[in-house]
Amino acid sequence: MSVVEQYARAHIVTDADHVEEERETVPVVLRYDPEDDPRSVRIGLPDRHEWTFSRTLLEQGLRAPAGTGDVRVWPLGRVQAVVEFHSAHGVSVVQFESKALLRFLRRTYTATAQPVSR
């Protein structure tokens, strides 16, 4: 089993943002390490903060609103998805292209697939 690491572009909005304006995309790291925790994925934000949460939550949130603890995920129209992180410092909302998250999830399931013995 191997580590899956994928870079994606995302829009980040925080509760400190007051004006609706065009936001630039930023690089975000999506990471999955089946040897560390086969049920979790990580999202690394540009501020070097990394969030770990259930891979199942990410998958469910691409179809319908889902959330546990400090993380919420929901689809935004047909081509985007939102991941919302809550902490003592506030809320971070990260908007992704859904296809980037789907590609990442497919790669995580491929990484955990057990080879067939013959």
Side-chain angles (χ1 to χ4, degrees), residues 71-89:
V71 180
R72 309 274 186 271
V73 182
W74 67 89
L76 183 63
R78 292 180 159 187
V79 297
Q80 296 181 330
V82 172
V83 183
E84 181 179 275
F85 302 104
H86 294 257
S87 74
H89 304 293

Side-chain angles (χ1 to χ4, degrees), residues 70-117:
D70 296 333
V71 180
R72 309 274 186 271
V73 182
W74 67 89
L76 183 63
R78 292 180 159 187
V79 297
Q80 296 181 330
V82 172
V83 183
E84 181 179 275
F85 302 104
H86 294 257
S87 74
H89 304 293
V91 177
S92 292
V93 178
V94 185
Q95 187 175 330
F96 290 91
E97 293 293 324
S98 297
K99 65 183 176 183
L101 296 176
L102 287 167
R103 186 177 330 116
F104 171 69
L105 280 171
R106 275 194 299 271
R107 292 181 64 209
T108 69
Y109 286 110
T110 300
T112 57
Q114 299 296 319
V116 177
S117 300

Side-chain angles (χ1 to χ4, degrees), residues 57-74:
L57 172 62
L58 180 59
E59 184 175 12
Q60 290 172 346
L62 291 174
R63 293 188 302 267
T68 59
D70 296 333
V71 180
R72 309 274 186 271
V73 182
W74 67 89

